[in-house]
Amino acid sequence: MTEQKPSVGFIGLGIMGQHMAGHILAAGYPLNIYNRTRAKGDALVAQGAQWFDSPGAVAAVSDITITIVGYPADVEQVYLSKGGIVAKARPGAVLIDMTTSSPALAARIAQAALERGISALDAPVSGGDVGAKAGKLAIMVGGETSAFNQVLPVLELMGANIALMGKAGSGQHTKMANQIAIASTMLAVAESVSYARVAGLNPHQVLKVIGTGAASSFLLNGLGPKMVDEDFAPGFFIHHFVKDMTIALEEAKKLGLDLPGLALARRLYLTLIDNGFGEEGTQSLYRAYNAIHAEAR
């Protein structure tokens, strides 16, 4: 007899969540879904997912509940509000927040879950829409080992590099380290492409050459060409990245760290938001350097 797979709830069907939930459904797990905009769930419902009208309603019928929403305030609302996920989750359930959020909030959710006899993991991801579509995300997890082992088969449907980093909040701290590295690397890639263009070189050719040497990185090789082509379609929204950088700067301050590269990147991205580009992809940072060069001429 085939063993019944646990039911999975998925809340947040944005650019990444759509693909992540799709992998779970395709693997044969009963899937319960909710999203603030119902139309984003239509394709999954057509494939067999069950729609529910609130996050709490999803949690009430799911063995595992996964969220990937926008901001820490959204995470707090869906988990800790009256009638939210923690209040409605069934006994023995595992909750997994894959939003990039606050480490302190992750610890609060884990404690609230523990008091109800359930487990909560913080499991933010990296890889953008490309990684989500391919099921190759990096997933960094904080929480109890037993809960991690219980849900690992589901995480493996979405990610290729999955690691338990420590106690609750550790996944979020790891994601902050990831976003800090990305922020300064995006500065470097945008400056490199800008320099190549102003120096009269073919930027695509420059990227092909330096992209095989010590400067090689996912961002240089993946987003550098998009900068050259001025393709700013979002794989990850600028306004979400600014949220991440803000959390990272707040955490760094608590730790007594000064991170000037991160602060500069955030300042430039905020300028882009002020100019109406917050819904573009993070490679749109190149716009800031175009503007700087234009002002200098």
Side-chain angles (χ1 to χ4, degrees), residues 8-30:
V8 179
F10 205 103
I11 296 158
L13 303 171
I15 289 177
M16 297 176 68
Q18 283 272 354
H19 299 299
M20 296 161 72
H23 293 312
I24 295 168
L25 184 61
Y29 285 83

Side-chain angles (χ1 to χ4, degrees), residues 78-235:
V78 299
Y79 276 93
L80 299 178
S81 64
K82 182 178 180 181
I85 292 171
V86 171
K88 293 294 187 179
R90 57 174 57 174
V94 179
L95 315 178
I96 311 171
D97 182 35
M98 305 187 84
T99 315
T100 298
S101 183
S102 157
L105 177 57
R108 282 176 55 206
I109 291 169
Q111 181 59 39
L114 181 64
E115 291 170 2
R116 286 212 60 240
I118 54 182
S119 298
L121 303 172
D122 49 291
V125 301
S126 182
D129 64 328
V130 174
K133 188 179 296 185
K136 301 294 184 183
L137 293 167
I139 305 177
M140 43 217 89
V141 186
E144 301 168 354
T145 302
S146 58
F148 173 76
N149 290 336
Q150 185 177 339
V151 301
L152 184 57
V154 173
L155 296 178
E156 288 174 336
L157 299 172
M158 299 177 283
N161 184 4
I162 304 162
L164 180 62
M165 305 304 298
K167 65 183 181 180
S170 297
Q172 296 296 352
H173 277 303
T174 305
K175 183 61 184 287
M176 291 303 105
N178 181 82
Q179 301 305 74
I180 291 164
I182 288 174
S184 289
T185 304
M186 288 298 291
L187 289 172
V189 174
E191 291 184 358
S192 176
V193 172
S194 298
Y195 179 89
R197 175 161 277 163
V198 175
L201 301 172
N202 180 325
H204 276 302
Q205 188 176 23
V206 170
L207 290 172
K208 285 181 180 178
V209 173
I210 69 174
T212 61
S216 176
S217 71
F218 170 81
L219 298 177
L220 183 88
N221 294 321
L223 296 185
K226 290 188 176 185
M227 291 182 183
V228 177
D229 294 336
E230 299 190 0
D231 173 5
F232 302 130

